[in-house]
């Protein structure tokens, strides 16, 4: 499997946060990488700048866009949790969440 784009990680990230607990971005990245069955090579693959892993970057962007949509909120640096709006969205069981959503 190839590394998913950031929009493909949005719904799994929201589902990951559905327990209403505070989560670290690092733990979320690890959990989603397992969920997407990424190999060690895919997990370590860097952006062209060589400064960050591609998958980490994509999950970070997914979190950013979902914060802007008020589906997730930052609780402290590097940590987030689901909002009431995020729970309401999950209750509707969407097939996908993307930027247009």
């Amino acid at each position: 499997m190839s590394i998913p784009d950031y929009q493909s990680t949005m719904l799994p990230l929201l589902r990951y946060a559905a327990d209403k607990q505070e989560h670290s971005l690092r733990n979320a990245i690890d959990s989603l990488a397992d969920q997407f069955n990424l190999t060690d090579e895919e997990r370590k693959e860097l952006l062209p700048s060589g400064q960050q892993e591609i998958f980490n970057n994509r999950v970070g962007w997914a979190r950013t866009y979902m914060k802007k949509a008020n589906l997730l909120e930052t609780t402290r640096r590097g940590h987030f949790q689901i909002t009431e709006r995020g729970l309401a969205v999950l209750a509707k069981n969407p097939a996908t969440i993307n930027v247009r959503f």
Side-chain angles (χ1 to χ4, degrees):
M1 175 179 209
S2 63
I3 301 170
D5 63 38
Y6 75 95
Q7 293 186 86
S8 299
T9 67
M10 288 180 166
L11 184 56
L13 182 59
L14 194 61
R15 287 182 178 145
Y16 175 78
D19 63 3
K20 302 180 188 177
Q21 301 299 309
E22 178 183 70
H23 295 279
S24 74
L25 183 59
R26 176 77 258 155
N27 289 343
I29 289 168
D30 291 341
S31 179
L32 292 179
D34 291 342
Q35 185 177 337
F36 283 108
N37 297 316
L38 297 182
T39 65
D40 286 338
E41 293 78 26
E42 290 169 327
R43 292 173 194 232
K44 294 176 184 174
E45 192 172 333
L46 297 175
L47 292 169
S49 67
Q51 300 298 311
Q52 185 181 25
E53 289 89 359
I54 293 172
F55 187 69
N56 296 13
N57 178 271
R58 291 181 180 174
V59 175
W61 278 111
R63 181 188 62 162
T64 296
Y65 279 102
M66 289 197 300
K67 283 174 20 185
K68 290 180 182 286
N70 196 30
L71 300 176
L72 296 175
E73 63 186 356
T74 299
T75 54
R76 58 190 166 117
R77 184 178 176 144
H79 292 77
F80 64 92
Q81 70 184 53
I82 197 165
T83 63
E84 289 301 319
R85 182 167 190 255
L87 290 169
V89 166
L90 282 180
K92 296 177 183 177
N93 199 24
T96 188
I97 294 178
N98 56 32
V99 174
R100 291 187 68 170
F101 181 86

